[in-house]
């Protein structure tokens, strides 16, 4: 049945299918603090390296037995490469999100051309919410980041309500807008193990994660913002994709026994996004049946 083709119930189940978009029209634009700082210091994209890095990411994923699916890039969508934001796979079907920035609103039409109509479970209509703020941590547990910018309280509350109706434990995680999305300062790397900018997250939120049995490895503010160091992708079976330039974080993850796959992605991180932003998991093996 087509409606059951895509499914995830966690951030850490074995990843089998993922959605990406080639960076044919990717640009750094002054729409986030990271890109603004990069451009202010004279940075410019090396397009040959950009495409080489994207190809390395795709090769890394395929080498880990992940099937890669692709959106069609469009000239007027410079951040379409960050497929995490325009939709969200759930245990109940796909959700089309509500993008905030004017240069990204057109992505909704394109994302609807990828999914079959009966695969779309819900469409977000209250406020704004983007996939980088949505963390389906494990079956029954959801966290949604709220900065007031990319995701606002109304958008988060609507999304959370659908999961609460199904009996899930949910929490809004509030943080300053210049961090863009929750996945800039928090990401799961393995079951019950995360990395986070612990000096940014509120102590009450850190305690909530601890109460859920999630152990957090610390990432600094500089690593999070300069390197997009928290923006990683768990593949399941103790494997994680993390940028090559995040040397200290990668060493920390390896010390935890994780297999770190480390493509270079600095042409993307300098524009305000990295591996987690560039990948929307379409299907993971359920943690309930693993």
């Amino acid at each position: 049945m087509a409606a059951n083709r895509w499914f995830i119930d966690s951030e850490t189940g074995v990843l089998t299918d993922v959605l990406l978009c080639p960076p044919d029209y990717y640009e750094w634009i002054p729409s986030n603090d990271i890109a603004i700082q990069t451009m202010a210091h004279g940075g410019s994209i090396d397009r040959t390296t950009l495409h080489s890095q994207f190809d390395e990411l795709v090769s890394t994923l395929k080498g880990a037995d992940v099937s890669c699916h692709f959106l069609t890039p469009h000239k007027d969508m410079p951040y379409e490469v960050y497929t995490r934001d325009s939709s969200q796979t759930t245990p109940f079907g796909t959700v089309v999100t509500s993008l905030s920035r004017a240069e990204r609103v057109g992505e909704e039409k394109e994302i609807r051309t990828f999914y079959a109509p009966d695969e779309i479970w819900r469409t977000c209509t209250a406020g704004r919410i983007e996939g980088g703020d949505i963390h389906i941590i494990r079956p029954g547990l959801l966290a949604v980041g709220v900065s007031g910018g990319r995701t606002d309280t109304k958008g988060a509350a609507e999304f959370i309500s659908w999961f609460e109706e199904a009996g899930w434990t949910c929490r809004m995680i509030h943080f300053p807008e210049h961090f863009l999305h929750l996945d800039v300062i928090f990401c799961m790397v393995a079951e019950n193990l995360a990395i986070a900018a612990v000096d940014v997250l509120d102590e009450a939120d850190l305690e909530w994660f601890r109460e859920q049995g999630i152990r957090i490895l610390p990432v600094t503010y500089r690593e999070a913002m300069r390197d997009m160091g928290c923006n990683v992708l768990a593949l399941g079976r103790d494997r994680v994709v993390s940028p090559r330039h995040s040397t200290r974080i990668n060493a920390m993850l390896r010390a935890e026994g994780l297999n770190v796959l480390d493509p270079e992605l600095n042409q993307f991180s300098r524009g305000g996004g990295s591996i987690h932003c560039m990948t929307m998991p379409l299907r993971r093996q359920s943690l309930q049946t693993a």
Side-chain angles (χ1 to χ4, degrees), residues 196-217:
V198 295
D199 54 347
V200 173
L201 290 170
D202 190 85
E203 183 57 38
D205 294 323
L206 293 172
E207 179 59 26
W208 181 80
F209 283 120
R210 287 191 287 265
E211 289 171 354
Q212 311 310 315
I214 297 169
R215 184 163 60 93
I216 294 180
L217 305 174

Side-chain angles (χ1 to χ4, degrees), residues 23 25-29 38-39 42-51 53 78-79 82 266-268 270-271:
Y25 303 108
Y26 177 71
E27 297 287 349
W28 296 339
I29 57 177
T38 296
M39 296 167 71
S44 61
I45 293 177
D46 180 328
R47 303 210 70 84
T48 299
T49 302
L50 177 81
H51 285 276
Q53 290 182 358
Y79 275 1
Y82 297 134
N266 66 350
Q267 294 298 300
F268 298 94
R270 295 175 72 200

Side-chain angles (χ1 to χ4, degrees), residues 2-11 13-21 61 66-71 83-84 86-95 111 114-116 119 136 233-234 278-286:
N4 293 329
R5 183 164 61 136
W6 308 132
F7 170 95
I8 71 164
D9 63 7
S10 76
E11 281 272 323
V14 173
L15 182 65
T16 63
D17 292 81
V18 71
L19 181 63
L20 305 107
C21 182
L61 291 167
V66 179
S67 295
C68 296
H69 308 259
F70 299 92
L71 295 178
T83 57
R84 175 72 58 163
S86 54
S87 67
Q88 177 64 57
T89 313
T90 80
F92 318 114
T94 294
V95 174
I111 201 69
F114 175 79
Y115 296 109
E119 291 173 342
I136 299 175
L233 179 69
M278 296 168 68
T279 53
M280 169 44 65
L282 296 170
R283 182 166 53 227
R284 290 184 185 271
Q285 294 178 11
S286 174

